[in-house]
PDB file of all heavy atoms in Angstrom:
ATOM      1  N   LEU A   1       0.853  -1.186   0.000  1.00  0.00           N
ATOM      2  CA  LEU A   1       0.000   0.000   0.000  1.00  0.00           C
ATOM      3  C   LEU A   1       0.887   1.233   0.000  1.00  0.00           C
ATOM      4  O   LEU A   1       1.735   1.393   0.899  1.00  0.00           O
ATOM      5  CB  LEU A   1      -0.894  -0.014   1.236  1.00  0.00           C
ATOM      6  CG  LEU A   1      -1.715   1.250   1.501  1.00  0.00           C
ATOM      7  CD1 LEU A   1      -2.697   1.503   0.372  1.00  0.00           C
ATOM      8  CD2 LEU A   1      -2.443   1.132   2.840  1.00  0.00           C
ATOM      9  N   VAL A   2       0.717   2.080  -1.010  1.00  0.00           N
ATOM     10  CA  VAL A   2       1.497   3.303  -1.112  1.00  0.00           C
ATOM     11  C   VAL A   2       0.578   4.465  -1.461  1.00  0.00           C
ATOM     12  O   VAL A   2      -0.573   4.253  -1.867  1.00  0.00           O
ATOM     13  CB  VAL A   2       2.610   3.201  -2.189  1.00  0.00           C
ATOM     14  CG1 VAL A   2       3.620   2.135  -1.811  1.00  0.00           C
ATOM     15  CG2 VAL A   2       2.018   2.947  -3.560  1.00  0.00           C
ATOM     16  N   GLN A   3       1.104   5.667  -1.307  1.00  0.00           N
ATOM     17  CA  GLN A   3       0.353   6.849  -1.712  1.00  0.00           C
ATOM     18  C   GLN A   3       0.692   7.212  -3.154  1.00  0.00           C
ATOM     19  O   GLN A   3       1.748   6.833  -3.683  1.00  0.00           O
ATOM     20  CB  GLN A   3       0.690   8.011  -0.786  1.00  0.00           C
ATOM     21  CG  GLN A   3       0.202   7.823   0.638  1.00  0.00           C
ATOM     22  CD  GLN A   3       0.404   9.056   1.489  1.00  0.00           C
ATOM     23  OE1 GLN A   3       1.361   9.789   1.313  1.00  0.00           O
ATOM     24  NE2 GLN A   3      -0.524   9.285   2.418  1.00  0.00           N
ATOM     25  N   ALA A   4      -0.216   7.931  -3.773  1.00  0.00           N
ATOM     26  CA  ALA A   4       0.013   8.390  -5.142  1.00  0.00           C
ATOM     27  C   ALA A   4       1.337   9.149  -5.221  1.00  0.00           C
ATOM     28  O   ALA A   4       1.667   9.945  -4.332  1.00  0.00           O
ATOM     29  CB  ALA A   4      -1.137   9.273  -5.592  1.00  0.00           C
ATOM     30  N   GLY A   5       2.088   8.858  -6.286  1.00  0.00           N
ATOM     31  CA  GLY A   5       3.380   9.488  -6.493  1.00  0.00           C
ATOM     32  C   GLY A   5       4.558   8.697  -5.971  1.00  0.00           C
ATOM     33  O   GLY A   5       5.712   8.997  -6.318  1.00  0.00           O
ATOM     34  N   GLU A   6       4.282   7.702  -5.145  1.00  0.00           N
ATOM     35  CA  GLU A   6       5.354   6.877  -4.592  1.00  0.00           C
ATOM     36  C   GLU A   6       5.720   5.746  -5.546  1.00  0.00           C
ATOM     37  O   GLU A   6       5.153   5.620  -6.636  1.00  0.00           O
ATOM     38  CB  GLU A   6       4.952   6.355  -3.216  1.00  0.00           C
ATOM     39  CG  GLU A   6       4.802   7.468  -2.189  1.00  0.00           C
ATOM     40  CD  GLU A   6       4.504   6.953  -0.795  1.00  0.00           C
ATOM     41  OE1 GLU A   6       4.022   5.805  -0.672  1.00  0.00           O
ATOM     42  OE2 GLU A   6       4.742   7.698   0.173  1.00  0.00           O
ATOM     43  N   SER A   7       6.690   4.935  -5.113  1.00  0.00           N
ATOM     44  CA  SER A   7       7.224   3.877  -5.973  1.00  0.00           C
ATOM     45  C   SER A   7       7.165   2.525  -5.275  1.00  0.00           C
ATOM     46  O   SER A   7       7.146   2.445  -4.043  1.00  0.00           O
ATOM     47  CB  SER A   7       8.686   4.186  -6.332  1.00  0.00           C
ATOM     48  OG  SER A   7       8.804   5.410  -7.023  1.00  0.00           O
ATOM     49  N   LEU A   8       7.157   1.494  -6.080  1.00  0.00           N
ATOM     50  CA  LEU A   8       7.287   0.115  -5.626  1.00  0.00           C
ATOM     51  C   LEU A   8       8.110  -0.653  -6.646  1.00  0.00           C
ATOM     52  O   LEU A   8       8.098  -0.317  -7.836  1.00  0.00           O
ATOM     53  CB  LEU A   8       5.933  -0.571  -5.473  1.00  0.00           C
ATOM     54  CG  LEU A   8       5.076  -0.282  -4.253  1.00  0.00           C
ATOM     55  CD1 LEU A   8       3.706  -0.940  -4.396  1.00  0.00           C
ATOM     56  CD2 LEU A   8       5.755  -0.774  -2.977  1.00  0.00           C
ATOM     57  N   ARG A   9       8.787  -1.687  -6.164  1.00  0.00           N
ATOM     58  CA  ARG A   9       9.506  -2.592  -7.057  1.00  0.00           C
ATOM     59  C   ARG A   9       9.001  -4.005  -6.828  1.00  0.00           C
ATOM     60  O   ARG A   9       9.144  -4.555  -5.739  1.00  0.00           O
ATOM     61  CB  ARG A   9      11.005  -2.529  -6.795  1.00  0.00           C
ATOM     62  CG  ARG A   9      11.833  -3.294  -7.818  1.00  0.00           C
ATOM     63  CD  ARG A   9      13.242  -3.489  -7.328  1.00  0.00           C
ATOM     64  NE  ARG A   9      14.171  -3.874  -8.367  1.00  0.00           N
ATOM     65  CZ  ARG A   9      15.302  -4.530  -8.129  1.00  0.00           C
ATOM     66  NH1 ARG A   9      15.636  -4.856  -6.899  1.00  0.00           N
ATOM     67  NH2 ARG A   9      16.114  -4.834  -9.133  1.00  0.00           N
ATOM     68  N   LEU A  10       8.419  -4.572  -7.873  1.00  0.00           N
ATOM     69  CA  LEU A  10       7.947  -5.942  -7.819  1.00  0.00           C
ATOM     70  C   LEU A  10       9.029  -6.881  -8.331  1.00  0.00           C
ATOM     71  O   LEU A  10       9.799  -6.523  -9.223  1.00  0.00           O
ATOM     72  CB  LEU A  10       6.692  -6.109  -8.669  1.00  0.00           C
ATOM     73  CG  LEU A  10       5.528  -5.155  -8.380  1.00  0.00           C
ATOM     74  CD1 LEU A  10       4.331  -5.537  -9.257  1.00  0.00           C
ATOM     75  CD2 LEU A  10       5.161  -5.164  -6.933  1.00  0.00           C
ATOM     76  N   SER A  11       9.045  -8.083  -7.768  1.00  0.00           N
ATOM     77  CA  SER A  11       9.962  -9.122  -8.213  1.00  0.00           C
ATOM     78  C   SER A  11       9.164 -10.374  -8.552  1.00  0.00           C
ATOM     79  O   SER A  11       8.110 -10.622  -7.960  1.00  0.00           O
ATOM     80  CB  SER A  11      10.977  -9.466  -7.126  1.00  0.00           C
ATOM     81  OG  SER A  11      11.761  -8.353  -6.774  1.00  0.00           O
ATOM     82  N   CYS A  12       9.687 -11.139  -9.474  1.00  0.00           N
ATOM     83  CA  CYS A  12       9.092 -12.433  -9.814  1.00  0.00           C
ATOM     84  C   CYS A  12      10.231 -13.442  -9.944  1.00  0.00           C
ATOM     85  O   CYS A  12      11.049 -13.348 -10.875  1.00  0.00           O
ATOM     86  CB  CYS A  12       8.303 -12.344 -11.104  1.00  0.00           C
ATOM     87  SG  CYS A  12       7.729 -13.941 -11.729  1.00  0.00           S
ATOM     88  N   ALA A  13      10.281 -14.363  -8.999  1.00  0.00           N
ATOM     89  CA  ALA A  13      11.301 -15.409  -9.008  1.00  0.00           C
ATOM     90  C   ALA A  13      10.764 -16.612  -9.768  1.00  0.00           C
ATOM     91  O   ALA A  13       9.672 -17.108  -9.462  1.00  0.00           O
ATOM     92  CB  ALA A  13      11.668 -15.796  -7.591  1.00  0.00           C
ATOM     93  N   ALA A  14      11.530 -17.064 -10.750  1.00  0.00           N
ATOM     94  CA  ALA A  14      11.084 -18.143 -11.632  1.00  0.00           C
ATOM     95  C   ALA A  14      11.922 -19.397 -11.427  1.00  0.00           C
ATOM     96  O   ALA A  14      13.116 -19.323 -11.106  1.00  0.00           O
ATOM     97  CB  ALA A  14      11.171 -17.690 -13.081  1.00  0.00           C
ATOM     98  N   SER A  15      11.297 -20.541 -11.641  1.00  0.00           N
ATOM     99  CA  SER A  15      12.011 -21.815 -11.586  1.00  0.00           C
ATOM    100  C   SER A  15      11.281 -22.828 -12.432  1.00  0.00           C
ATOM    101  O   SER A  15      10.117 -22.641 -12.810  1.00  0.00           O
ATOM    102  CB  SER A  15      12.128 -22.308 -10.139  1.00  0.00           C
ATOM    103  OG  SER A  15      10.852 -22.497  -9.575  1.00  0.00           O
ATOM    104  N   GLY A  16      11.992 -23.907 -12.759  1.00  0.00           N
ATOM    105  CA  GLY A  16      11.372 -24.993 -13.494  1.00  0.00           C
ATOM    106  C   GLY A  16      11.482 -24.907 -15.003  1.00  0.00           C
ATOM    107  O   GLY A  16      10.924 -25.749 -15.711  1.00  0.00           O
ATOM    108  N   PHE A  17      12.171 -23.897 -15.494  1.00  0.00           N
ATOM    109  CA  PHE A  17      12.391 -23.761 -16.934  1.00  0.00           C
ATOM    110  C   PHE A  17      13.657 -22.944 -17.139  1.00  0.00           C
ATOM    111  O   PHE A  17      14.208 -22.379 -16.190  1.00  0.00           O
ATOM    112  CB  PHE A  17      11.193 -23.105 -17.624  1.00  0.00           C
ATOM    113  CG  PHE A  17      10.887 -21.699 -17.162  1.00  0.00           C
ATOM    114  CD1 PHE A  17      11.305 -20.596 -17.897  1.00  0.00           C
ATOM    115  CD2 PHE A  17      10.158 -21.477 -16.002  1.00  0.00           C
ATOM    116  CE1 PHE A  17      11.019 -19.306 -17.482  1.00  0.00           C
ATOM    117  CE2 PHE A  17       9.858 -20.193 -15.577  1.00  0.00           C
ATOM    118  CZ  PHE A  17      10.301 -19.102 -16.305  1.00  0.00           C
ATOM    119  N   ILE A  18      14.110 -22.891 -18.388  1.00  0.00           N
ATOM    120  CA  ILE A  18      15.346 -22.149 -18.688  1.00  0.00           C
ATOM    121  C   ILE A  18      14.987 -20.669 -18.806  1.00  0.00           C
ATOM    122  O   ILE A  18      14.648 -20.165 -19.879  1.00  0.00           O
ATOM    123  CB  ILE A  18      16.012 -22.674 -19.961  1.00  0.00           C
ATOM    124  CG1 ILE A  18      16.255 -24.179 -19.830  1.00  0.00           C
ATOM    125  CG2 ILE A  18      17.347 -21.954 -20.198  1.00  0.00           C
ATOM    126  CD1 ILE A  18      16.792 -24.839 -21.074  1.00  0.00           C
ATOM    127  N   PHE A  19      15.054 -19.983 -17.693  1.00  0.00           N
ATOM    128  CA  PHE A  19      14.580 -18.605 -17.584  1.00  0.00           C
ATOM    129  C   PHE A  19      15.245 -17.699 -18.619  1.00  0.00           C
ATOM    130  O   PHE A  19      14.581 -16.868 -19.239  1.00  0.00           O
ATOM    131  CB  PHE A  19      14.873 -18.097 -16.170  1.00  0.00           C
ATOM    132  CG  PHE A  19      14.495 -16.657 -15.943  1.00  0.00           C
ATOM    133  CD1 PHE A  19      13.179 -16.307 -15.670  1.00  0.00           C
ATOM    134  CD2 PHE A  19      15.455 -15.659 -15.999  1.00  0.00           C
ATOM    135  CE1 PHE A  19      12.829 -14.983 -15.453  1.00  0.00           C
ATOM    136  CE2 PHE A  19      15.118 -14.331 -15.785  1.00  0.00           C
ATOM    137  CZ  PHE A  19      13.796 -13.997 -15.510  1.00  0.00           C
ATOM    138  N   GLY A  20      16.531 -17.842 -18.812  1.00  0.00           N
ATOM    139  CA  GLY A  20      17.273 -16.934 -19.676  1.00  0.00           C
ATOM    140  C   GLY A  20      16.861 -16.973 -21.133  1.00  0.00           C
ATOM    141  O   GLY A  20      17.229 -16.092 -21.903  1.00  0.00           O
ATOM    142  N   LEU A  21      16.067 -17.955 -21.512  1.00  0.00           N
ATOM    143  CA  LEU A  21      15.647 -18.079 -22.905  1.00  0.00           C
ATOM    144  C   LEU A  21      14.234 -17.575 -23.159  1.00  0.00           C
ATOM    145  O   LEU A  21      13.804 -17.510 -24.313  1.00  0.00           O
ATOM    146  CB  LEU A  21      15.724 -19.547 -23.350  1.00  0.00           C
ATOM    147  CG  LEU A  21      17.094 -20.203 -23.324  1.00  0.00           C
ATOM    148  CD1 LEU A  21      16.986 -21.647 -23.810  1.00  0.00           C
ATOM    149  CD2 LEU A  21      18.093 -19.417 -24.176  1.00  0.00           C
ATOM    150  N   LYS A  22      13.511 -17.218 -22.100  1.00  0.00           N
ATOM    151  CA  LYS A  22      12.085 -16.960 -22.248  1.00  0.00           C
ATOM    152  C   LYS A  22      11.711 -15.490 -22.146  1.00  0.00           C
ATOM    153  O   LYS A  22      12.262 -14.735 -21.335  1.00  0.00           O
ATOM    154  CB  LYS A  22      11.291 -17.734 -21.193  1.00  0.00           C
ATOM    155  CG  LYS A  22      11.459 -19.239 -21.253  1.00  0.00           C
ATOM    156  CD  LYS A  22      11.115 -19.809 -22.622  1.00  0.00           C
ATOM    157  CE  LYS A  22       9.646 -19.705 -22.931  1.00  0.00           C
ATOM    158  NZ  LYS A  22       9.318 -20.374 -24.225  1.00  0.00           N
ATOM    159  N   PHE A  23      10.756 -15.109 -22.981  1.00  0.00           N
ATOM    160  CA  PHE A  23      10.109 -13.807 -22.895  1.00  0.00           C
ATOM    161  C   PHE A  23       9.225 -13.807 -21.651  1.00  0.00           C
ATOM    162  O   PHE A  23       8.434 -14.731 -21.448  1.00  0.00           O
ATOM    163  CB  PHE A  23       9.276 -13.581 -24.164  1.00  0.00           C
ATOM    164  CG  PHE A  23       8.655 -12.213 -24.274  1.00  0.00           C
ATOM    165  CD1 PHE A  23       9.312 -11.205 -24.960  1.00  0.00           C
ATOM    166  CD2 PHE A  23       7.422 -11.937 -23.716  1.00  0.00           C
ATOM    167  CE1 PHE A  23       8.746  -9.942 -25.095  1.00  0.00           C
ATOM    168  CE2 PHE A  23       6.844 -10.681 -23.846  1.00  0.00           C
ATOM    169  CZ  PHE A  23       7.508  -9.682 -24.528  1.00  0.00           C
ATOM    170  N   MET A  24       9.332 -12.791 -20.834  1.00  0.00           N
ATOM    171  CA  MET A  24       8.557 -12.693 -19.608  1.00  0.00           C
ATOM    172  C   MET A  24       7.620 -11.489 -19.684  1.00  0.00           C
ATOM    173  O   MET A  24       7.958 -10.464 -20.297  1.00  0.00           O
ATOM    174  CB  MET A  24       9.482 -12.546 -18.393  1.00  0.00           C
ATOM    175  CG  MET A  24      10.447 -13.691 -18.185  1.00  0.00           C
ATOM    176  SD  MET A  24       9.614 -15.251 -17.814  1.00  0.00           S
ATOM    177  CE  MET A  24       8.803 -14.862 -16.269  1.00  0.00           C
ATOM    178  N   ARG A  25       6.464 -11.626 -19.054  1.00  0.00           N
ATOM    179  CA  ARG A  25       5.468 -10.554 -19.073  1.00  0.00           C
ATOM    180  C   ARG A  25       4.973 -10.242 -17.671  1.00  0.00           C
ATOM    181  O   ARG A  25       4.948 -11.126 -16.808  1.00  0.00           O
ATOM    182  CB  ARG A  25       4.255 -10.956 -19.925  1.00  0.00           C
ATOM    183  CG  ARG A  25       4.558 -11.193 -21.377  1.00  0.00           C
ATOM    184  CD  ARG A  25       3.323 -11.736 -22.098  1.00  0.00           C
ATOM    185  NE  ARG A  25       3.545 -11.953 -23.518  1.00  0.00           N
ATOM    186  CZ  ARG A  25       4.058 -13.056 -24.030  1.00  0.00           C
ATOM    187  NH1 ARG A  25       4.430 -14.052 -23.238  1.00  0.00           N
ATOM    188  NH2 ARG A  25       4.219 -13.158 -25.334  1.00  0.00           N
ATOM    189  N   TRP A  26       4.571  -9.003 -17.478  1.00  0.00           N
ATOM    190  CA  TRP A  26       3.826  -8.587 -16.292  1.00  0.00           C
ATOM    191  C   TRP A  26       2.412  -8.195 -16.730  1.00  0.00           C
ATOM    192  O   TRP A  26       2.237  -7.443 -17.693  1.00  0.00           O
ATOM    193  CB  TRP A  26       4.486  -7.379 -15.629  1.00  0.00           C
ATOM    194  CG  TRP A  26       5.702  -7.688 -14.830  1.00  0.00           C
ATOM    195  CD1 TRP A  26       7.010  -7.553 -15.222  1.00  0.00           C
ATOM    196  CD2 TRP A  26       5.742  -8.166 -13.485  1.00  0.00           C
ATOM    197  NE1 TRP A  26       7.846  -7.920 -14.209  1.00  0.00           N
ATOM    198  CE2 TRP A  26       7.097  -8.303 -13.126  1.00  0.00           C
ATOM    199  CE3 TRP A  26       4.776  -8.495 -12.537  1.00  0.00           C
ATOM    200  CZ2 TRP A  26       7.507  -8.754 -11.868  1.00  0.00           C
ATOM    201  CZ3 TRP A  26       5.175  -8.934 -11.297  1.00  0.00           C
ATOM    202  CH2 TRP A  26       6.525  -9.058 -10.973  1.00  0.00           C
ATOM    203  N   TYR A  27       1.439  -8.715 -15.992  1.00  0.00           N
ATOM    204  CA  TYR A  27       0.038  -8.357 -16.183  1.00  0.00           C
ATOM    205  C   TYR A  27      -0.490  -7.779 -14.879  1.00  0.00           C
ATOM    206  O   TYR A  27       0.103  -7.950 -13.817  1.00  0.00           O
ATOM    207  CB  TYR A  27      -0.795  -9.600 -16.517  1.00  0.00           C
ATOM    208  CG  TYR A  27      -0.662 -10.122 -17.915  1.00  0.00           C
ATOM    209  CD1 TYR A  27       0.434 -10.894 -18.293  1.00  0.00           C
ATOM    210  CD2 TYR A  27      -1.658  -9.908 -18.868  1.00  0.00           C
ATOM    211  CE1 TYR A  27       0.552 -11.396 -19.580  1.00  0.00           C
ATOM    212  CE2 TYR A  27      -1.557 -10.423 -20.157  1.00  0.00           C
ATOM    213  CZ  TYR A  27      -0.460 -11.159 -20.497  1.00  0.00           C
ATOM    214  OH  TYR A  27      -0.352 -11.666 -21.771  1.00  0.00           O
ATOM    215  N   ARG A  28      -1.643  -7.151 -14.977  1.00  0.00           N
ATOM    216  CA  ARG A  28      -2.348  -6.724 -13.767  1.00  0.00           C
ATOM    217  C   ARG A  28      -3.846  -6.888 -13.970  1.00  0.00           C
ATOM    218  O   ARG A  28      -4.342  -6.878 -15.093  1.00  0.00           O
ATOM    219  CB  ARG A  28      -2.019  -5.281 -13.401  1.00  0.00           C
ATOM    220  CG  ARG A  28      -2.530  -4.229 -14.371  1.00  0.00           C
ATOM    221  CD  ARG A  28      -2.022  -2.847 -13.962  1.00  0.00           C
ATOM    222  NE  ARG A  28      -2.499  -1.803 -14.866  1.00  0.00           N
ATOM    223  CZ  ARG A  28      -2.096  -0.538 -14.794  1.00  0.00           C
ATOM    224  NH1 ARG A  28      -1.205  -0.161 -13.866  1.00  0.00           N
ATOM    225  NH2 ARG A  28      -2.573   0.349 -15.646  1.00  0.00           N
ATOM    226  N   GLN A  29      -4.540  -7.033 -12.838  1.00  0.00           N
ATOM    227  CA  GLN A  29      -5.991  -7.178 -12.880  1.00  0.00           C
ATOM    228  C   GLN A  29      -6.600  -6.427 -11.712  1.00  0.00           C
ATOM    229  O   GLN A  29      -6.331  -6.743 -10.551  1.00  0.00           O
ATOM    230  CB  GLN A  29      -6.401  -8.649 -12.831  1.00  0.00           C
ATOM    231  CG  GLN A  29      -7.878  -8.866 -13.055  1.00  0.00           C
ATOM    232  CD  GLN A  29      -8.217 -10.316 -13.323  1.00  0.00           C
ATOM    233  OE1 GLN A  29      -7.455 -11.219 -12.991  1.00  0.00           O
ATOM    234  NE2 GLN A  29      -9.366 -10.539 -13.938  1.00  0.00           N
ATOM    235  N   ALA A  30      -7.398  -5.433 -12.060  1.00  0.00           N
ATOM    236  CA  ALA A  30      -8.129  -4.665 -11.056  1.00  0.00           C
ATOM    237  C   ALA A  30      -9.509  -5.294 -10.876  1.00  0.00           C
ATOM    238  O   ALA A  30     -10.013  -5.965 -11.787  1.00  0.00           O
ATOM    239  CB  ALA A  30      -8.259  -3.217 -11.503  1.00  0.00           C
ATOM    240  N   PRO A  31     -10.134  -5.089  -9.722  1.00  0.00           N
ATOM    241  CA  PRO A  31     -11.457  -5.669  -9.472  1.00  0.00           C
ATOM    242  C   PRO A  31     -12.455  -5.280 -10.564  1.00  0.00           C
ATOM    243  O   PRO A  31     -12.567  -4.101 -10.921  1.00  0.00           O
ATOM    244  CB  PRO A  31     -11.854  -5.073  -8.121  1.00  0.00           C
ATOM    245  CG  PRO A  31     -10.560  -4.766  -7.456  1.00  0.00           C
ATOM    246  CD  PRO A  31      -9.632  -4.353  -8.542  1.00  0.00           C
ATOM    247  N   GLY A  32     -13.137  -6.281 -11.111  1.00  0.00           N
ATOM    248  CA  GLY A  32     -14.127  -6.027 -12.137  1.00  0.00           C
ATOM    249  C   GLY A  32     -13.582  -5.839 -13.527  1.00  0.00           C
ATOM    250  O   GLY A  32     -14.349  -5.654 -14.474  1.00  0.00           O
ATOM    251  N   ASN A  33     -12.257  -5.883 -13.646  1.00  0.00           N
ATOM    252  CA  ASN A  33     -11.629  -5.686 -14.958  1.00  0.00           C
ATOM    253  C   ASN A  33     -10.975  -6.972 -15.439  1.00  0.00           C
ATOM    254  O   ASN A  33     -10.665  -7.865 -14.651  1.00  0.00           O
ATOM    255  CB  ASN A  33     -10.560  -4.588 -14.877  1.00  0.00           C
ATOM    256  CG  ASN A  33     -11.156  -3.212 -14.683  1.00  0.00           C
ATOM    257  OD1 ASN A  33     -12.373  -3.051 -14.610  1.00  0.00           O
ATOM    258  ND2 ASN A  33     -10.291  -2.218 -14.597  1.00  0.00           N
ATOM    259  N   GLU A  34     -10.729  -7.013 -16.742  1.00  0.00           N
ATOM    260  CA  GLU A  34      -9.977  -8.124 -17.303  1.00  0.00           C
ATOM    261  C   GLU A  34      -8.488  -7.942 -16.995  1.00  0.00           C
ATOM    262  O   GLU A  34      -8.015  -6.834 -16.738  1.00  0.00           O
ATOM    263  CB  GLU A  34     -10.196  -8.201 -18.805  1.00  0.00           C
ATOM    264  CG  GLU A  34     -11.609  -8.556 -19.210  1.00  0.00           C
ATOM    265  CD  GLU A  34     -11.738  -8.777 -20.699  1.00  0.00           C
ATOM    266  OE1 GLU A  34     -10.754  -8.575 -21.433  1.00  0.00           O
ATOM    267  OE2 GLU A  34     -12.842  -9.149 -21.144  1.00  0.00           O
ATOM    268  N   ARG A  35      -7.780  -9.040 -17.039  1.00  0.00           N
ATOM    269  CA  ARG A  35      -6.336  -8.980 -16.850  1.00  0.00           C
ATOM    270  C   ARG A  35      -5.728  -8.274 -18.061  1.00  0.00           C
ATOM    271  O   ARG A  35      -6.070  -8.589 -19.208  1.00  0.00           O
ATOM    272  CB  ARG A  35      -5.773 -10.390 -16.706  1.00  0.00           C
ATOM    273  CG  ARG A  35      -4.404 -10.464 -16.105  1.00  0.00           C
ATOM    274  CD  ARG A  35      -4.041 -11.892 -15.724  1.00  0.00           C
ATOM    275  NE  ARG A  35      -4.852 -12.377 -14.607  1.00  0.00           N
ATOM    276  CZ  ARG A  35      -4.583 -13.499 -13.944  1.00  0.00           C
ATOM    277  NH1 ARG A  35      -3.533 -14.233 -14.275  1.00  0.00           N
ATOM    278  NH2 ARG A  35      -5.360 -13.885 -12.964  1.00  0.00           N
ATOM    279  N   GLU A  36      -4.838  -7.318 -17.789  1.00  0.00           N
ATOM    280  CA  GLU A  36      -4.249  -6.559 -18.887  1.00  0.00           C
ATOM    281  C   GLU A  36      -2.729  -6.666 -18.853  1.00  0.00           C
ATOM    282  O   GLU A  36      -2.111  -6.710 -17.787  1.00  0.00           O
ATOM    283  CB  GLU A  36      -4.671  -5.080 -18.829  1.00  0.00           C
ATOM    284  CG  GLU A  36      -4.183  -4.323 -17.619  1.00  0.00           C
ATOM    285  CD  GLU A  36      -4.327  -2.811 -17.741  1.00  0.00           C
ATOM    286  OE1 GLU A  36      -4.324  -2.301 -18.886  1.00  0.00           O
ATOM    287  OE2 GLU A  36      -4.417  -2.151 -16.690  1.00  0.00           O
ATOM    288  N   LEU A  37      -2.163  -6.673 -20.052  1.00  0.00           N
ATOM    289  CA  LEU A  37      -0.714  -6.728 -20.192  1.00  0.00           C
ATOM    290  C   LEU A  37      -0.114  -5.364 -19.869  1.00  0.00           C
ATOM    291  O   LEU A  37      -0.556  -4.347 -20.389  1.00  0.00           O
ATOM    292  CB  LEU A  37      -0.345  -7.141 -21.609  1.00  0.00           C
ATOM    293  CG  LEU A  37       1.135  -7.232 -21.948  1.00  0.00           C
ATOM    294  CD1 LEU A  37       1.831  -8.296 -21.103  1.00  0.00           C
ATOM    295  CD2 LEU A  37       1.301  -7.556 -23.432  1.00  0.00           C
ATOM    296  N   VAL A  38       0.900  -5.375 -19.012  1.00  0.00           N
ATOM    297  CA  VAL A  38       1.529  -4.134 -18.583  1.00  0.00           C
ATOM    298  C   VAL A  38       2.892  -3.950 -19.235  1.00  0.00           C
ATOM    299  O   VAL A  38       3.223  -2.869 -19.722  1.00  0.00           O
ATOM    300  CB  VAL A  38       1.675  -4.120 -17.051  1.00  0.00           C
ATOM    301  CG1 VAL A  38       2.497  -2.925 -16.584  1.00  0.00           C
ATOM    302  CG2 VAL A  38       0.312  -4.124 -16.379  1.00  0.00           C
ATOM    303  N   ALA A  39       3.693  -5.027 -19.218  1.00  0.00           N
ATOM    304  CA  ALA A  39       5.060  -4.916 -19.723  1.00  0.00           C
ATOM    305  C   ALA A  39       5.558  -6.282 -20.137  1.00  0.00           C
ATOM    306  O   ALA A  39       5.078  -7.309 -19.655  1.00  0.00           O
ATOM    307  CB  ALA A  39       5.985  -4.329 -18.650  1.00  0.00           C
ATOM    308  N   GLY A  40       6.547  -6.258 -21.035  1.00  0.00           N
ATOM    309  CA  GLY A  40       7.193  -7.496 -21.441  1.00  0.00           C
ATOM    310  C   GLY A  40       8.677  -7.264 -21.620  1.00  0.00           C
ATOM    311  O   GLY A  40       9.127  -6.131 -21.830  1.00  0.00           O
ATOM    312  N   ILE A  41       9.444  -8.347 -21.524  1.00  0.00           N
ATOM    313  CA  ILE A  41      10.889  -8.227 -21.679  1.00  0.00           C
ATOM    314  C   ILE A  41      11.409  -9.481 -22.360  1.00  0.00           C
ATOM    315  O   ILE A  41      11.085 -10.604 -21.959  1.00  0.00           O
ATOM    316  CB  ILE A  41      11.581  -7.967 -20.325  1.00  0.00           C
ATOM    317  CG1 ILE A  41      13.078  -7.723 -20.521  1.00  0.00           C
ATOM    318  CG2 ILE A  41      11.318  -9.085 -19.319  1.00  0.00           C
ATOM    319  CD1 ILE A  41      13.759  -7.131 -19.285  1.00  0.00           C
ATOM    320  N   THR A  42      12.211  -9.280 -23.399  1.00  0.00           N
ATOM    321  CA  THR A  42      12.782 -10.411 -24.120  1.00  0.00           C
ATOM    322  C   THR A  42      13.920 -11.029 -23.312  1.00  0.00           C
ATOM    323  O   THR A  42      14.352 -10.479 -22.291  1.00  0.00           O
ATOM    324  CB  THR A  42      13.309  -9.965 -25.490  1.00  0.00           C
ATOM    325  OG1 THR A  42      14.444  -9.095 -25.289  1.00  0.00           O
ATOM    326  CG2 THR A  42      12.248  -9.219 -26.292  1.00  0.00           C
TER     327      THR A  42
END
């Protein structure tokens, strides 16, 4: 929980596959909304 204008850093720890070869994505879903793509990284 933060106030408007502040920052956060999210992390996602992966296992079970060759992480360095895979395109990774971040999505988000707000209440009542569909899941939306936020960012991707090759």
Side-chain angles (χ1 to χ4, degrees):
L1 172 63
V2 296
Q3 293 187 327
E6 295 184 339
S7 300
L8 282 173
R9 188 194 196 204
L10 306 184
S11 299
C12 172
S15 60
F17 62 99
I18 305 175
F19 177 81
L21 298 181
K22 300 304 292 185
F23 186 94
M24 300 296 297
R25 297 174 179 86
W26 283 99
Y27 284 79
R28 67 185 180 186
Q29 188 167 20
N33 290 0
E34 294 187 356
R35 198 168 292 192
E36 64 166 333
L37 179 63
V38 172
I41 185 166
T42 67

